[in-house]
Amino acid sequence: MDDLIKAAKAARTTAHAPYSKFYVGAAMRDEQGRVFGGCNIENAAYPQGWCAEPSAIAALITAGGKRVTEVAVMGNGDTLCTPCGGCRQKIREFANGDVKIHCCTEEGKLIRTFTLEELLPFSFGPENLA
Ligand code: THU
């Protein structure tokens, strides 16, 4: 878990959040054990900004990763920064319900770990379309 938190912390330092000033770092592990970080990227046209989680997912998928097997997220200070609703669904596309999501402080201290199932119960996923 330490490498994941480290990557999220490093990614957070690159966040582009001049409007909210809420800097988020996320990291995702793929099925090969590789770790990918991502940050939130806001936009002067506010709704065009996006969260840290899709940045990390984009890096993982672009590198050929297929599954998300573990996640770490951190926001400002000690705030519990759980993935927003949209991010939960984006993670769900590539993750099973038992995937752990570690929510940490800005310094990388673990606050609480959730499973994706806890954060997104009775979810709709690719299997629903099979
Ligand atoms: N944010 C994330 O990056 N991930 C989340 O799951 C929660 C919210 C970002 C979006 C926006 O840039 C800032 O935090 C304030 O909402």
Side-chain angles (χ1 to χ4, degrees), residues 4-114:
L4 203 65
I5 293 174
K6 227 182 207 173
K9 194 174 169 186
R12 183 177 174 276
T13 67
T14 64
H16 176 72
Y19 308 106
S20 72
K21 305 216 180 319
F22 193 73
Y23 306 96
V24 184
M28 313 257 163
R29 193 186 307 283
D30 78 355
E31 74 287 353
Q32 301 174 48
R34 300 179 299 173
V35 168
F36 300 91
C39 59
N40 54 332
I41 303 177
E42 297 182 349
N43 194 284
Y46 297 163
Q48 296 302 327
W50 68 89
C51 289
E53 293 88 334
S55 293
I57 291 172
L60 182 150
I61 294 298
T62 304
K66 301 292 177 213
R67 302 294 294 167
V68 170
T69 60
E70 198 177 6
V71 178
V73 189
M74 60 189 60
N76 284 359
D78 293 351
T79 311
L80 180 69
C81 183
T82 51
C84 77
C87 287
R88 294 174 195 196
Q89 186 66 41
K90 289 183 178 78
I91 295 166
R92 169 67 179 89
E93 182 70 14
F94 304 106
N96 301 333
D98 62 355
V99 161
K100 288 188 167 77
I101 299 175
H102 309 293
C103 299
C104 305
T105 70
E106 167 182 341
E107 288 305 321
K109 187 169 161 267
L110 180 66
I111 303 173
R112 187 164 166 181
T113 298
F114 300 90

